[in-house]
Amino acid sequence: MTRIEKVLYTGKTRTTGGRDGASRSSDGRLDIRLSPPGSAGAGTNPEQLFAAGWSACFIGAIGLAAGKRKLVLPAGLAVDAEVDLGTTDGAYFLQARLNVSLPGLAPELAHELVEEAHQTCPYSKATRGNIDVELRLV
């Protein structure tokens, strides 16, 4: 395991009530209700939050890859993250798909950027070898 030498940021939240609860960040910028996936509850769920965080981070990693090549990314750049919660033999697991849209870029170049981003993004590193992840150019 790689140890962090310099911490750049620490996100701090307090969650109560689990999937039927609430979560609030220490700075108050995040203050949300939680509800189980597929329920009638008004809140979001951990899978949606994970998908949002991962896709935002992945876009940043694509930006780093493009910057190395002195490329300007298209305005329509988007990552649609899908995080599945499921079971196998009664145990809970996650799997994910990152659907990346890089309009106007040659497919080969877009593929290179996505692959490099997947090697750079901390969320991708955290999940590597732990969950099934599919990268798709759309």
Side-chain angles (χ1 to χ4, degrees), residues 31-70:
D31 191 359
I32 55 170
R33 292 179 12 199
L34 299 168
S35 55
S39 75
T44 187
N45 60 65
E47 292 71 31
Q48 289 173 330
L49 293 169
F50 186 63
W54 193 354
S55 58
C57 185
F58 203 83
I59 287 173
I62 291 172
L64 289 174
K68 289 180 186 177
R69 294 165 174 80
K70 300 191 184 328

Side-chain angles (χ1 to χ4, degrees), residues 5-95:
E5 292 176 0
K6 179 182 178 186
V7 173
L8 302 175
Y9 176 76
T10 301
K12 298 178 185 177
T13 62
R14 178 179 175 88
T15 301
T16 57
R19 288 181 177 269
D20 280 311
S23 197
R24 181 178 168 85
S25 62
S26 60
D27 63 6
R29 290 177 150 189
L30 178 74
D31 191 359
I32 55 170
R33 292 179 12 199
L34 299 168
S35 55
S39 75
T44 187
N45 60 65
E47 292 71 31
Q48 289 173 330
L49 293 169
F50 186 63
W54 193 354
S55 58
C57 185
F58 203 83
I59 287 173
I62 291 172
L64 289 174
K68 289 180 186 177
R69 294 165 174 80
K70 300 191 184 328
L71 292 174
V72 175
L73 289 172
L77 165 61
V79 175
D80 296 315
E82 300 172 356
V83 175
D84 300 325
L85 170 65
T87 59
T88 298
D89 295 327
Y92 291 98
F93 294 95
L94 297 175
Q95 66 184 19

Side-chain angles (χ1 to χ4, degrees), residues 2 54 116-130:
T2 302
W54 193 354
E116 186 172 332
H118 192 50
Q119 296 306 311
T120 304
C121 174
Y123 283 75
S124 292
K125 289 178 183 179
T127 59
R128 189 167 294 115
N130 294 309

